[in-house]
């Protein structure tokens, strides 16, 4: 046949390198000092080496939810691989062919696979796995509870990460608003409770989220009526009827009548001691310190002073009357005389018939 036989001549204690897995025969001959020979032929078996190899589903993963799948690709020309030994680089080990493993902390690990054949021949393979740190999402709200009027909620990111950077922000608010900046100033269009969520994502695509609640309290709507806005000084009695409203909660009140007097009654009654024009204001407060105000003007009018002069006629002569009525800051425009005649002139002439 075409097989080739290689012959090596070795001295005692010589080493023969063998690069192939095969069966070899060793011929050993000895000759005594007297020239007597003997020989022995023995087979030598060189076993094949296993080739350790493996792949990883994803060699870089975020700490949260990480699960590394190590897929064994080891082989041997013939025979069997009888044992696998995995070292995941964090003191954990396993002996299954293709393990799944989750790390409990972030770091860079060297994963090693040692394969062993059924003839105890061994090979080793290593790969690096990286567990990335998780960002820790967080944010603050300057005033989490505000009144509806002029409400502005300032949202400030306070997220952190052990190393690397945070390069994506997503704010989701339950009024359907969305923002992608680290700082947000947001106003709500109606009162109620709102959920605010921040999702931050690192440069390695690791994400974390944080949520808080914000409350917008309803505004009271102040209003009131007055029984009569213009009254005379001598009998003025102003009755203020409170018609303020609040969608939920209770109200307290603070009245100012314009003459230095105040009241916390719901429906106060007030009389003025001086004639003037007064501004009456009402401030309504909710239980959440939200306030609204309204004001109106009332007038207290001075009383006129009736007076007139007349001539001293003889019988059958005309009597002349001259109006002398006075009223502060107002011109009298109606007169009533005992004769029963009313006029709007400043003076008039009346002739009395002889009795």
């Amino acid at each position: 046949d075409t097989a080739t036989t290689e012959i090596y001549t070795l001295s005692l204690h010589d080493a023969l390198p063998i690069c192939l897995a095969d069966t070899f025969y060793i011929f050993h001959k000895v000759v005594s000092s007297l020239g007597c020979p003997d020989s022995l032929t023995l087979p030598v078996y060189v076993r094949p080496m296993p080739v350790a190899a493996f792949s990883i589903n994803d060699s870089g993963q975020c700490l949260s939810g990480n699960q590394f799948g190590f897929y064994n690709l080891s082989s041997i020309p013939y025979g069997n691989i009888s044992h696998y030994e995995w070292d995941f680089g964090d003191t954990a080990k396993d002996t299954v062919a293709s393990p799944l493993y989750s790390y409990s902390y972030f770091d860079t690990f060297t994963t090693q696979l040692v394969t062993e054949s059924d003839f105890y021949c061994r090979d080793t393979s290593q790969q690096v796995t990286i567990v990335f740190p998780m960002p820790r999402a967080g944010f603050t709200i300057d005033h989490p509870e505000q009144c509806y009027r002029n409400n502005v909620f300032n949202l400030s990111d306070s997220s952190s990460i052990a190393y690397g950077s945070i390069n994506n922000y997503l704010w989701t608010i339950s009024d359907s608003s969305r923002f992608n900046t680290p700082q947000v100033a947001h106003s709500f269009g109606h009162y109620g409770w709102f959920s605010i969520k921040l999702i931050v994502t690192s440069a390695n695509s690791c994400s974390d989220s944080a949520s808080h609640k914000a409350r917008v309290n309803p505004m009271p709507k102040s209003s009131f009526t007055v029984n009569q806005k213009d009254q005379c000084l001598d009998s003025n009695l102003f009755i203020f009827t409170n018609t303020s409203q609040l969608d939920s909660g209770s109200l307290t009140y603070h009245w100012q009548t314009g003459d230095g007097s105040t009241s916390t009654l719901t429906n106060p009654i007030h009389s003025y001691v001086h004639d003037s024009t007064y501004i009456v204001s009402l401030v309504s407060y909710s239980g959440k310190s939200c306030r609204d105000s309204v004001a109106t003007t009332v007038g207290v009018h001075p009383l006129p002073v009736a007076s007139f002069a007349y001539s001293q006629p003889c019988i059958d002569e005309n009597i002349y009357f001259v109006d002398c009525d006075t009223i502060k800051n107002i011109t009298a425009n109606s007169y009533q005389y005992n004769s029963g005649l009313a006029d709007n002139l400043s003076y008039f002439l009346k002739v009395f018939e002889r009795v």
Side-chain angles (χ1 to χ4, degrees), residues 4 19 56 129 161 170 192-193 215 245 256 274 312 316 347 352:
T4 300
C19 300
I56 308 173
T129 54
I161 191 169
L170 177 60
W193 283 99
R215 185 177 186 179
Q245 296 178 342
Q256 289 183 313
H274 300 290
Q312 298 293 327
D316 293 330
Y347 65 90
F352 287 91

Side-chain angles (χ1 to χ4, degrees), residues 125-169:
S125 179
Q126 294 181 340
Q127 290 193 50
V128 172
T129 54
I130 302 174
V131 180
F132 300 116
M134 298 298 300
R136 177 172 291 180
F139 65 94
T140 59
I141 307 175
D142 59 342
H143 299 292
E145 187 170 348
Q146 299 182 32
C147 299
Y148 171 70
R149 182 179 294 134
N150 301 323
N151 77 87
V152 179
F153 290 78
N154 292 300
L155 314 177
S156 300
D157 169 62
S158 59
S159 305
S160 61
I161 191 169
Y163 68 83
S165 61
I166 296 173
N167 60 0
N168 186 266
Y169 302 86

Side-chain angles (χ1 to χ4, degrees), residues 141-253:
I141 307 175
D142 59 342
H143 299 292
E145 187 170 348
Q146 299 182 32
C147 299
Y148 171 70
R149 182 179 294 134
N150 301 323
N151 77 87
V152 179
F153 290 78
N154 292 300
L155 314 177
S156 300
D157 169 62
S158 59
S159 305
S160 61
I161 191 169
Y163 68 83
S165 61
I166 296 173
N167 60 0
N168 186 266
Y169 302 86
L170 177 60
W171 300 87
T172 59
I173 304 177
S174 58
D175 66 350
S176 300
S177 298
R178 299 288 186 272
F179 304 96
N180 56 12
T181 55
Q183 317 297 325
V184 171
H186 184 61
S187 298
F188 292 96
H190 54 90
Y191 66 84
W193 283 99
F194 298 89
S195 297
I196 302 174
K197 183 178 183 180
L198 170 63
I199 302 173
V200 293
T201 304
S202 71
N204 292 309
S205 300
C206 302
S207 297
D208 189 34
S209 65
S211 298
H212 292 297
K213 293 281 190 180
R215 185 177 186 179
V216 179
N217 293 310
M219 295 298 300
K221 186 176 182 180
S222 294
S223 62
F224 66 92
T225 61
V226 186
N227 60 329
Q228 187 177 349
K229 287 189 175 183
D230 292 288
Q231 300 184 33
C232 296
L233 177 62
D234 64 338
S235 58
N236 77 90
L237 186 66
F238 290 84
I239 301 173
F240 303 107
T241 302
N242 196 329
T243 56
S244 301
Q245 296 178 342
L246 179 66
D247 285 351
S248 63
S250 59
L251 290 172
T252 57
Y253 307 101

Side-chain angles (χ1 to χ4, degrees), residues 61 166 286:
Q61 298 183 33
I166 296 173
S286 73

